[in-house]
Amino acid sequence: MSKSYRVAILGATGAVGTELIELLDRRNFPLAELKLLASPRSAGKTLPFKGEQLEVEAVSEEAFKGIDLVLASAGGSTSKAWAAKAVAAGAVVIDNSSAFRMDPTVPLVVPEVNPKAAADHRGIIANPNCTTILMAVAVWPLHQVQPVRRIVAATYQSASGAGARAMEEVKAQARAILAGETPTAEAFPYPLAFNLFPHNSALDERGYCEEEMKMVNETRKIFDAPEMQISATCVRVPVLRAHSESLNLEFSEPFDPDRARDILARSPGVRLVEDWQANYFPMPMEATGRDEVLVGRIRKDLSHPCGLELWLSGDQIRKGAALNAVQIAELLVKENWLQPATAAVSS
Amino acid sequence: MSKSYRVAILGATGAVGTELIELLDRRNFPLAELKLLASPRSAGKTLPFKGEQLEVEAVSEEAFKGIDLVLASAGGSTSKAWAAKAVAAGAVVIDNSSAFRMDPTVPLVVPEVNPKAAADHRGIIANPNCTTILMAVAVWPLHQVQPVRRIVAATYQSASGAGARAMEEVKAQARAILAGETPTAEAFPYPLAFNLFPHNSALDERGYCEEEMKMVNETRKIFDAPEMQISATCVRVPVLRAHSESLNLEFSEPFDPDRARDILARSPGVRLVEDWQANYFPMPMEATGRDEVLVGRIRKDLSHPCGLELWLSGDQIRKGAALNAVQIAELLVKENWLQPATAAVSS
């Protein structure tokens, strides 16, 4: 008889939360119980799971009693407020927020890249940022063959990165513009429909936004490559779901594009999408709802002898968030790393 | 009494053609006559100019008789078919197509960058590609102070780059998607509304599309910098009008971002748009209908000691096409370079 687990989803009503519920079902995660937690505001709502309606409970210390695993996706402040309490109650927390990602005692894990890092958890494992995960899945297989020295990234990020409300806002804006009306913006600082703008997260003193620095710092941590040089420009575009990225990679020696293609064609989590005759490459439309990161348009960089250009699209909510978290949970189960670690965390 | 000129617009009914008509009026170009030319299919249509309705004529050799200046914007094959005939009839042709841009006997001109090149025309002057013009206006002032060695560009190109029909198609696709229907695509190979894809122009053997190679080759020609290293990834995004570009520039020495900012703030054709407190930078929504290229978010490249990152948005139809052509025409008038050059061309 295989073991099963009592799982709680914190932030169950959000875009990532609902995806987590669907993935636990679809991937047959060994559940003994599924508890849906959210802010008191959402308590009492019901969400479908395996043909039943599960009621959402308000998060509380009491709610974590007996829970083995918490999948948290309710934002940084909620994670900061509740993660230690969940761990104290005996659970392991896989946290989708940025709260603990750069904490040196917290593993930051992309299962295709650094699964072993998860073994060292002290109760909390962090799920990286969406743009970082998508880039990491595509770049890691090449980095294994020949170290990447430098990445210049430009992103094309969908509204889903700002949640379900932002996706609805973009649709409402598009309707207004098509009707000749002036669109309004609340989830975003400016209208996004038929427009785009650099990512609106907080800027540091050098002019880089948080989203960009996540790509820099998280990638270095996941790859255990503190010396890797990364510069990113993150841009929100009027796509509903799935992010795209243009990546310029620099190696220490020339990297043959065909070799890169061969490697990526058999890399986990990657789907090579390239039809040069049809000018057909990864698109958010086709990445939406898929598990894999679509990678293609692999070309020799015209401007540097050791450069490679590639293009990717990946579902930001799926592999960029919920799927990666569920894959970490599956890894913990498989490796028997799901034991509580209260003592270590409380020290 | 100042001189005035007989001008013909070839391709008058297109997106750039109608913008040309508007700009000639708004900028008070010294017109003795304005003739609107198009394919026989569009002959007989009327377009407004200075309160009158001008009738569109089918293009013919006869139509160029007595014309001093042709502004051609009807695609490469039309320009190839008619430019030499217009020149033979005594006109100077400013051609917006790609037909003659890389011809070593044809000047390729951005008036803010290389106005003097226009003096050497032999009847035809080429207007660069939109993405090239926008990049050239922003990069040239920096390149003058310290040569740019390398550019890695990622573009965010609006539907207007494929003409008025493409803009309508994106709107129709958005309407369909919002109504829960499946969008259709004709002007583009894939639906663009709420989606994006790498630029669909023809790919070369290295995997670069024509649009990308225009950024490489035209920039080198305009800057007279054949050694400049450029790699570009061009992407179509669901914006109606105005392109954006993320540019990573590498110099031979570090370039202070504040110095770059000061230079760009007083550069012709550039409008510096940066409010770091408000996270407010160039957006296509605000570049639309403006003459200037909006440039901002100037930052030190985190991945290279001599790198600079910048971001721009510019109206693809305005400065990216029609305005640049009209500025060339104004330059020819001002410098008295509008003399026909039949002999030289026919040699």
Side-chain angles (χ1 to χ4, degrees):
Chain A
M1 192 188 92
S2 64
K3 217 183 149 188
S4 61
Y5 302 87
R6 285 161 297 181
V7 175
I9 294 176
L10 177 56
T13 56
V16 175
T18 52
E19 190 77 16
L20 284 167
I21 298 169
E22 189 191 317
L23 287 172
L24 290 175
D25 181 5
R26 194 163 57 83
R27 295 170 72 91
N28 289 313
F29 189 84
L31 287 170
E33 180 192 344
L34 179 61
K35 191 177 270 198
L36 304 185
L37 303 176
S39 65
R41 189 165 41 86
S42 293
K45 283 188 185 172
T46 62
L47 290 167
F49 181 72
K50 288 189 187 290
E52 289 179 55
Q53 287 291 321
L54 295 187
E55 191 170 318
V56 177
E57 296 176 40
V59 59
S60 67
E61 282 189 60
E62 192 68 21
F64 294 119
K65 277 196 183 152
I67 293 295
D68 300 307
L69 176 68
V70 177
L71 297 168
S73 186
S77 57
T78 304
S79 289
K80 276 180 191 154
W82 294 103
K85 288 169 184 160
V87 173
V92 171
V93 176
I94 299 172
D95 183 39
N96 196 46
S97 83
S98 61
F100 304 106
R101 285 179 192 152
M102 296 311 297
D103 182 331
T105 69
V106 173
L108 183 65
V109 177
V110 177
E112 289 88 344
V113 177
N114 62 339
K116 286 179 186 160
D120 301 327
H121 77 80
R122 302 185 190 181
I124 302 174
I125 296 172
N127 206 38
N129 191 50
C130 48
T131 47
T132 308
I133 294 175
L134 303 179
M135 178 164 81
V137 168
V139 174
W140 177 253
L142 306 178
H143 181 69
Q144 288 301 93
V145 172
Q146 199 174 293
V148 173
R149 283 158 54 136
R150 184 185 177 204
I151 304 175
V152 175
T155 72
Y156 302 68
Q157 299 185 224
S158 62
S160 58
R165 189 168 71 101
M167 294 165 79
E168 289 309 312
E169 177 164 303
V170 171
K171 287 193 220 170
Q173 289 168 350
R175 278 193 191 94
I177 291 168
L178 292 169
E181 294 157 14
T182 304
T184 57
E186 286 180 18
F188 292 121
Y190 312 105
L192 185 57
F194 303 115
N195 190 33
L196 52 82
F197 45 81
H199 198 282
N200 54 301
S201 52
L203 296 162
D204 68 16
E205 69 289 348
R206 292 168 305 186
Y208 285 83
C209 69
E210 287 175 354
E211 188 80 0
E212 291 163 344
M213 293 315 299
K214 288 172 186 172
M215 292 186 83
V216 175
N217 296 323
E218 294 179 14
T219 304
R220 287 176 175 164
K221 179 171 175 176
I222 298 162
F223 281 21
D224 191 20
E227 73 299 334
M228 189 180 276
Q229 300 300 306
I230 307 171
S231 197
T233 297
C234 289
V235 179
R236 293 205 194 267
V237 296
V239 167
L240 294 176
R241 184 170 163 157
H243 293 351
S244 303
E245 302 180 9
S246 173
L247 302 179
N248 180 283
L249 309 180
E250 184 184 317
F251 301 85
S252 48
E253 287 173 44
F255 202 124
D256 180 56
D258 284 332
R259 190 175 176 214
R261 218 179 313 279
D262 289 346
I263 291 165
L264 287 169
R266 50 189 166 77
S267 295
V270 170
R271 184 184 182 88
L272 187 70
V273 174
E274 280 192 334
D275 181 340
W276 294 91
Q277 297 305 316
N279 218 324
Y280 171 75
F281 303 107
M283 291 188 276
M285 190 177 80
E286 301 201 331
T288 295
R290 292 198 87 106
D291 286 353
E292 307 98 329
V293 179
L294 311 187
V295 184
R297 218 159 182 261
I298 302 160
R299 306 171 294 167
K300 192 165 164 36
D301 175 358
L302 297 180
S303 68
H304 195 288
C306 303
L308 211 57
E309 300 264 18
L310 58 85
W311 170 254
L312 66 82
S313 293
D315 189 317
Q316 174 272 321
I317 299 177
R318 184 74 61 94
K319 180 57 184 172
L323 174 61
N324 198 72
V326 172
Q327 285 176 307
I328 294 171
E330 291 168 346
L331 174 70
L332 297 180
V333 166
K334 180 176 159 230
E335 301 290 351
N336 200 27
W337 291 337
L338 198 50
Q339 64 280 33
T342 324
V345 155
S346 64
S347 71
Chain B
M1 192 188 89
S2 64
K3 216 182 153 190
S4 60
Y5 302 86
R6 284 161 298 181
V7 174
I9 295 176
L10 176 56
T13 57
V16 175
T18 51
E19 191 76 17
L20 284 167
I21 298 170
E22 189 192 318
L23 286 171
L24 290 175
D25 180 6
R26 195 163 57 82
R27 295 171 72 92
N28 289 314
F29 189 85
L31 287 171
E33 179 192 343
L34 179 62
K35 190 177 271 199
L36 304 185
L37 303 176
S39 65
R41 187 168 41 88
S42 294
K45 283 188 186 170
T46 62
L47 290 167
F49 180 73
K50 287 189 187 286
E52 289 178 55
Q53 288 292 320
L54 295 187
E55 190 171 318
V56 177
E57 295 176 42
V59 59
S60 67
E61 283 190 60
E62 190 69 20
F64 295 120
K65 276 197 183 153
I67 292 294
D68 300 307
L69 175 69
V70 176
L71 299 168
S73 187
S77 57
T78 304
S79 289
K80 276 179 192 154
W82 293 103
K85 287 168 184 162
V87 173
V92 171
V93 176
I94 300 173
D95 183 38
N96 196 47
S97 83
S98 61
F100 304 105
R101 286 179 190 151
M102 297 311 298
D103 182 330
T105 68
V106 172
L108 184 64
V109 176
V110 177
E112 290 87 344
V113 176
N114 62 340
K116 286 178 187 160
D120 301 326
H121 76 81
R122 302 185 191 181
I124 302 174
I125 296 172
N127 207 38
N129 191 48
C130 48
T131 48
T132 307
I133 294 175
L134 303 179
M135 179 165 81
V137 168
V139 174
W140 177 253
L142 306 178
H143 182 70
Q144 287 302 92
V145 171
Q146 199 175 294
V148 172
R149 282 160 56 138
R150 184 184 177 207
I151 304 176
V152 175
T155 72
Y156 302 68
Q157 298 185 224
S158 62
S160 58
R165 188 169 72 102
M167 295 167 78
E168 288 310 312
E169 176 164 302
V170 171
K171 286 194 219 170
Q173 289 168 349
R175 279 194 191 93
I177 291 168
L178 291 170
E181 294 157 15
T182 304
T184 57
E186 286 180 19
F188 292 121
Y190 312 105
L192 185 56
F194 302 116
N195 191 33
L196 52 83
F197 45 81
H199 197 281
N200 54 301
S201 51
L203 295 163
D204 67 17
E205 70 288 349
R206 292 168 305 187
Y208 286 82
C209 68
E210 287 175 353
E211 187 80 0
E212 291 163 343
M213 293 316 298
K214 288 172 185 173
M215 291 185 84
V216 175
N217 296 323
E218 294 180 12
T219 305
R220 286 176 174 162
K221 178 170 176 177
I222 298 162
F223 282 21
D224 190 20
E227 74 300 332
M228 189 180 278
Q229 299 300 306
I230 307 172
S231 198
T233 297
C234 290
V235 179
R236 291 204 193 268
V237 297
V239 167
L240 294 177
R241 184 169 163 158
H243 293 350
S244 302
E245 302 180 10
S246 173
L247 302 179
N248 180 284
L249 309 180
E250 185 184 316
F251 300 86
S252 47
E253 289 173 42
F255 202 123
D256 180 56
D258 285 332
R259 191 176 175 213
R261 217 179 312 280
D262 288 348
I263 291 164
L264 287 170
R266 50 190 166 74
S267 295
V270 170
R271 183 182 182 92
L272 186 70
V273 174
E274 279 191 337
D275 181 340
W276 295 90
Q277 297 303 316
N279 217 325
Y280 170 76
F281 303 107
M283 292 188 275
M285 190 177 80
E286 300 201 331
T288 295
R290 291 198 87 106
D291 286 352
E292 306 97 329
V293 179
L294 311 186
V295 185
R297 217 159 180 260
I298 301 160
R299 307 170 296 167
K300 191 165 165 33
D301 175 359
L302 296 180
S303 68
H304 196 288
C306 304
L308 211 56
E309 299 263 19
L310 57 86
W311 171 254
L312 66 82
S313 294
D315 189 316
Q316 174 271 321
I317 299 177
R318 185 74 62 94
K319 179 59 184 172
L323 174 61
N324 198 73
V326 173
Q327 285 176 309
I328 294 172
E330 290 168 348
L331 174 70
L332 296 180
V333 166
K334 181 176 158 233
E335 301 290 349
N336 199 28
W337 292 337
L338 198 49
Q339 64 280 30
T342 322
V345 155
S346 64
S347 71

